[in-house]
Amino acid sequence: MGGICRGDEPSQPLAEQTQLGWILFGKMQSFQCNIVMTNVDSIQKFWEVEDLEEDPELSSDDKACMEFYSATTQRDVNGRYVVRLPMKPDTHEKIGKSKNMAKAQFINLEKKFHKQKEFSNAYKGFISEYIALQHMVPAKNNSTSPACFLPHHGVQRVDSLSTKLRVVFNASAKTSSGYSLNDMMLKGPNLQKDLQCLIVKWRIYPYAFISDIEKMYRQILVHEEDQPYQQIVWRELPEQPIQEYQLTTVTYGTTAAPFLAMMTLQQLAADESSKYPEAARIVKEAFYMDDLLHGSFDVESGQKLIKDMNNLLKSGGFN
């Protein structure tokens, strides 16, 4: 901020005033800095600024979301979790019509397909995989259930080693009533671990390992009654009739997706803790969304932990 203050001797440190206060730098053996503060409040404020805040208390919506998850989540015969979407009570009245808008945006998307063949092939490949894995199925006409059609578009990631293109379903698109699906969905509490703490803990191990869960959201099933909220329109070729599909898994782009994914991971750890106690603890403590950061103090215990982690996650349908 103001120049540099130099001492009488070249060997003495330099002082410079910055936005963070005065700093000393240069070659030195040891220096003692004494500060006299008569205002105790200043000391208290300093420590309050430096201290890490505790997690805030859950809001009423977050508590309701947690209770709803616990009351409605099930596991199917294969061990996969089936969740309900945490919709607000007045969703049925407020959600508007969205099919025509979704069709119009899809027709625009087809025009892009015509101009960009590489993009078109990647997009159609992505959707074909969705259909093959039964992550989307033909929509079931049920006039009693409210429906919502989600426009979709492609996001290209040239630097990605695995998925060069991801199809994003836009749950924030407004329906005819002015409300979107995301407007009517509870977000749930943030269950994400602090990334800095994860990295610091990760560095204590002489042997470290990292991993990620393949298609994490799409390994969690959405209850059949809630799938009409996740409908899309699609056809392979322009001369074919436009068809309606419903997405069967937790969908990237919906408000509750991060909560549902992290909560399901924690639920899996709790359900399998008696069989894999150490692996269950790691699942609860060492994941940043779908990424795992952990390690071990020797190779043998690390290999056993990795094996147990794989078996625990596989029991819930995660790879």
Side-chain angles (χ1 to χ4, degrees), residues 17-249:
Q17 189 179 18
T18 72
Q19 294 283 358
L20 303 177
W22 284 89
I23 61 171
L24 295 174
F25 58 95
K27 294 181 179 179
M28 60 188 77
Q29 290 182 342
S30 71
F31 287 87
Q32 184 173 347
C33 183
N34 298 309
I35 303 174
V36 178
M37 298 181 69
T38 56
N39 187 352
V40 179
D41 290 338
S42 298
I43 302 175
Q44 183 177 344
K45 286 178 182 177
F46 170 77
W47 288 114
E48 287 174 352
V49 169
E50 293 294 314
D51 198 15
L52 292 172
E53 293 184 5
E54 294 183 0
D55 293 335
E57 189 175 345
L58 292 178
S59 67
S60 57
D61 280 351
D62 287 348
K63 287 180 181 177
C65 205
M66 295 279 285
E67 292 168 359
F68 179 79
Y69 180 93
S70 298
T72 59
T73 299
Q74 303 169 341
R75 292 181 79 170
D76 68 8
V77 292
N78 298 315
R80 289 184 185 273
Y81 286 83
V82 184
V83 300
R84 299 295 304 262
L85 299 180
M87 307 304 297
K88 296 177 181 178
D90 53 353
T91 298
H92 204 137
E93 294 77 25
K94 288 186 175 180
I95 203 79
K97 297 182 179 182
S98 51
K99 185 176 177 179
N100 289 338
M101 176 206 49
K103 277 187 174 181
Q105 292 197 28
F106 177 69
I107 290 171
N108 286 332
L109 181 64
E110 284 187 314
K111 293 177 182 176
K112 187 175 180 180
F113 288 166
H114 182 70
K115 296 177 182 176
Q116 302 179 25
K117 291 301 180 184
E118 188 175 342
F119 174 78
S120 173
N121 292 336
Y123 205 107
K124 291 176 180 179
F126 190 101
I127 294 293
S128 294
E129 183 196 52
Y130 240 81
I131 295 173
L133 295 173
Q134 294 191 317
H135 293 170
M136 61 186 260
V137 297
K140 298 176 182 178
N141 294 323
N142 186 351
S143 57
T144 60
S145 299
C148 186
F149 286 83
L150 309 180
H152 49 92
H153 62 275
V155 176
Q156 292 175 299
R157 301 184 298 173
V158 181
D159 58 340
S160 174
L161 297 176
S162 55
T163 307
K164 299 293 183 182
L165 179 137
R166 169 183 279 174
V167 175
V168 176
F169 303 101
N170 185 9
S172 295
K174 302 294 183 184
T175 64
S176 60
S177 63
Y179 292 98
S180 69
L181 178 67
N182 279 346
D183 290 334
M184 305 313 302
M185 189 180 292
L186 294 175
K187 184 178 182 180
N190 181 12
L191 302 177
Q192 195 70 276
K193 299 296 181 184
D194 180 73
L195 183 57
Q196 184 177 4
C197 290
L198 284 177
I199 293 174
V200 169
K201 289 179 182 177
W202 184 52
R203 289 173 62 91
I204 72 172
Y205 298 104
Y207 301 95
F209 54 82
I210 61 173
S211 184
D212 69 90
I213 297 176
E214 182 183 16
K215 298 181 177 66
M216 181 182 185
Y217 286 5
R218 290 163 58 185
Q219 308 312 325
I220 306 168
L221 304 175
V222 170
H223 196 283
E224 195 172 279
E225 290 184 22
D226 290 342
Q227 291 176 18
Y229 286 120
Q230 301 185 148
Q231 294 197 55
I232 68 165
V233 295
W234 175 255
R235 65 183 172 191
E236 188 77 15
L237 300 170
E239 54 268 23
Q240 296 174 342
I242 291 179
Q243 294 180 294
E244 300 170 13
Y245 291 87
Q246 58 193 42
L247 308 181
T248 62
T249 64

Side-chain angles (χ1 to χ4, degrees), residues 247-260:
L247 308 181
T248 62
T249 64
V250 170
T251 299
Y252 182 82
T254 55
T255 292
F259 163 74
L260 291 172

